[in-house]
Amino acid sequence: MTTFLEQLDKDRIPASVAIIMDGNGRWAKKQGKNRIFGHQNGVDSVDQVMEGAAAIGIKYLTLYAFSTENWNRPADEVNALMDLFVSAINSYLEKMLANNIRMVVIGDIDRLNEKTRANMQEAIDKTAGCTGMTLVLAISYSSRWEIIRAVKNIAAEVKDGKLQLDDINDDCFSNHLATKGIPDPDLLIRTSGELRISNFLMWQLSYSELYFTDVCWPEFKKENLYEAIYDFQNRERRFGKTSEQLTK
């Protein structure tokens, strides 16, 4: 049987892919387990997808790991997730270095506990010289937080005379976002069957292709990633133009 990996056009791999990793809790419930069990099993999917993405030449992989709204979850689940972030990043670090993967984090990381912040910063520092794929972890992140922060920073620069009103355009705004220097996603994948973007990269997803799958995150592996990319490669991206314009 031909795999999706074998069917991919290696010359048309999306440069930037973002994933909303959803369904850990529901998957665990089906197994008769608690939500933490689902999060723990989701760690292996991150490992597989990170490795699979790097292997086919994806340049930027952005994973929505923890939203600002997730702070409202029960304290025991939040604390367990913080511990899981630490252990997971420690386990990924060797593989990131071996595969030339750089790690960056976007989000309101000041809200994280000191241990989690220190662990993430260590991984960021150790992988800073890697030149292959960039793994972007969105932790304590939401688009509304990001956009409001950008507006405040732009307003402050205008007030201080560092920026003129006429200088504010798409590029200016993008450069004030947490994703400065990171290309907008070509493809957004959401697992578990939910059909929404949940306050994730709302500015950056303006012309991204959206792919939804019923597969919950703990069951999402390399071949599922390749299936999503295969679907992406069979779409026509027009960016506001007509099909006829694209062929001229």
Side-chain angles (χ1 to χ4, degrees):
M1 181 179 177
T2 304
T3 66
F4 285 106
L5 175 59
E6 293 170 328
Q7 297 177 72
L8 293 182
D9 181 345
K10 301 305 191 297
D11 295 325
R12 295 195 300 119
I13 299 297
S16 180
V17 174
I19 304 179
I20 299 175
M21 306 180 294
D22 194 25
N24 289 341
R26 275 163 286 162
W27 178 85
K29 187 176 181 180
K30 290 179 182 178
Q31 318 302 313
K33 305 288 187 177
N34 60 28
R35 293 177 59 84
I36 303 304
F37 179 78
H39 295 310
Q40 291 168 338
N41 279 269
V43 169
D44 179 63
S45 293
V46 173
D47 191 39
Q48 282 226 9
V49 168
M50 176 178 66
E51 186 176 60
I56 62 172
I58 290 173
K59 298 301 183 185
Y60 292 86
L61 177 66
T62 302
L63 302 179
Y64 201 11
F66 190 85
S67 72
T68 54
E69 290 80 10
N70 289 155
W71 288 111
N72 297 319
R73 290 186 175 184
D76 59 343
E77 182 175 351
V78 171
N79 292 334
L81 281 169
M82 293 300 116
D83 290 340
L84 188 59
F85 289 150
V86 171
S87 61
I89 290 172
N90 286 338
S91 69
Y92 299 151
L93 183 55
E94 184 176 343
K95 180 167 287 188
M96 285 191 287
L97 292 171
N99 289 277
N100 198 26
I101 297 172
R102 177 175 69 114
M103 191 187 94
V104 300
V105 176
I106 59 172
D108 187 7
I109 59 174
D110 288 340
R111 297 185 67 177
L112 304 177
N113 62 49
E114 184 178 349
K115 179 182 178 182
T116 305
R117 287 200 310 272
N119 177 262
M120 289 181 179
Q121 190 59 53
E122 181 181 5
I124 291 168
D125 292 342
K126 286 185 175 179
T127 62
C130 295
T131 57
M133 187 180 77
T134 296
L135 175 67
V136 184
L137 296 181
I139 297 177
S140 189
Y141 169 91
S142 76
S143 279
R144 289 185 176 181
W145 161 83
E146 177 185 41
I147 289 171
I148 289 171
R149 189 188 71 152
V151 170
K152 286 181 177 179
N153 289 338
I154 289 172
E157 290 181 23
V158 171
K159 181 180 178 181
D160 293 341
K162 298 177 181 178
L163 187 68
Q164 301 300 311
L165 285 177
D166 289 342
D167 295 330
I168 302 174
N169 53 27
D170 284 4
D171 289 339
C172 173
F173 195 79
S174 293
N175 286 332
H176 284 80
L177 295 175
T179 54
K180 177 183 177 180
I182 300 170
D184 292 345
D186 299 298
L187 171 65
L188 170 73
I189 300 168
R190 179 167 188 153
T191 59
S192 87
E194 299 292 349
L195 306 178
R196 56 180 177 270
I197 62 172
S198 296
N199 205 0
F200 183 50
L201 300 177
M202 291 189 292
W203 173 274
Q204 298 88 339
L205 293 176
S206 296
Y207 276 102
S208 302
E209 294 296 319
L210 309 183
Y211 177 88
F212 300 99
T213 175
D214 290 333
V215 177
C216 287
W217 180 247
E219 295 180 330
F220 192 92
K221 307 302 180 186
K222 290 180 185 178
E223 188 67 2
N224 301 103
L225 172 67
Y226 299 147
E227 181 179 4
I229 295 172
Y230 177 78
D231 180 89
F232 168 84
Q233 290 185 342
N234 283 278
R235 300 186 188 185
E236 181 183 70
R237 304 186 73 198
R238 296 190 295 275
F239 299 98
K241 297 181 180 180
T242 66
S243 298
E244 291 74 19
Q245 286 177 298
L246 295 177
T247 58
K248 291 181 179 179

